[in-house]
């Protein structure tokens, strides 16, 4: 989807909608975590959700080039630390 989006308006729309869906889903769970006390009350749920979407999509693109495992592990560790 990401590769076709710049060249096909239908894929651009589908890609954007999928990204917004993932962001809304993450935001819902983050807000639930804030309400339950698992996440800090000052967490910006929308910004964190959008960051997780960018990280997820970036990860899927990076995995296509088969990077060293430590590269992915380090990036995931930092990304997941945002949820603490």
């Amino acid at each position: 989807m990401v590769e076709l989006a710049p060249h096909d308006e239908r894929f651009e729309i589908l890609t954007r909608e999928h990204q917004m869906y993932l962001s809304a889903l993450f935001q819902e769970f983050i807000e639930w975590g804030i309400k339950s006390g698992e996440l800090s009350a000052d967490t910006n749920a929308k910004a964190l959700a959008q960051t997780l979407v960018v990280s997820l999509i970036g990860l899927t693109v990076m995995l296509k080039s088969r990077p060293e495992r430590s590269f992915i592990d380090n990036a995931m560790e930092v990304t997941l630390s945002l949820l603490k």
Side-chain angles (χ1 to χ4, degrees):
M1 288 172 57
V2 173
E3 293 170 5
L4 293 174
H7 309 288
D8 187 319
E9 185 178 357
R10 293 172 299 166
F11 281 100
E12 177 185 348
I13 292 167
L14 285 171
T15 301
R16 187 173 36 254
E17 287 176 354
H18 179 68
Q19 292 164 350
M20 294 302 102
Y21 171 76
L22 287 175
S23 182
L25 187 63
F26 283 150
Q27 184 173 341
E28 182 178 328
F29 280 105
I30 292 164
E31 288 170 350
W32 181 79
I34 293 168
K35 288 177 187 171
S36 72
E38 292 180 67
L39 296 174
S40 173
D42 65 348
T43 300
N44 182 331
K46 183 175 183 176
L48 179 54
Q50 291 170 340
T51 299
L52 292 174
V53 171
V54 170
S55 294
L56 174 65
I57 293 169
L59 176 65
T60 60
V61 171
M62 287 291 303
L63 288 173
K64 289 183 177 189
S65 67
R66 298 185 181 168
E68 289 184 22
R69 179 65 187 214
S70 63
F71 190 100
I72 298 302
D73 289 346
N74 290 335
M76 290 307 303
E77 183 179 335
V78 172
T79 300
L80 292 174
S81 75
L82 299 172
L83 295 170
K84 293 182 180 176

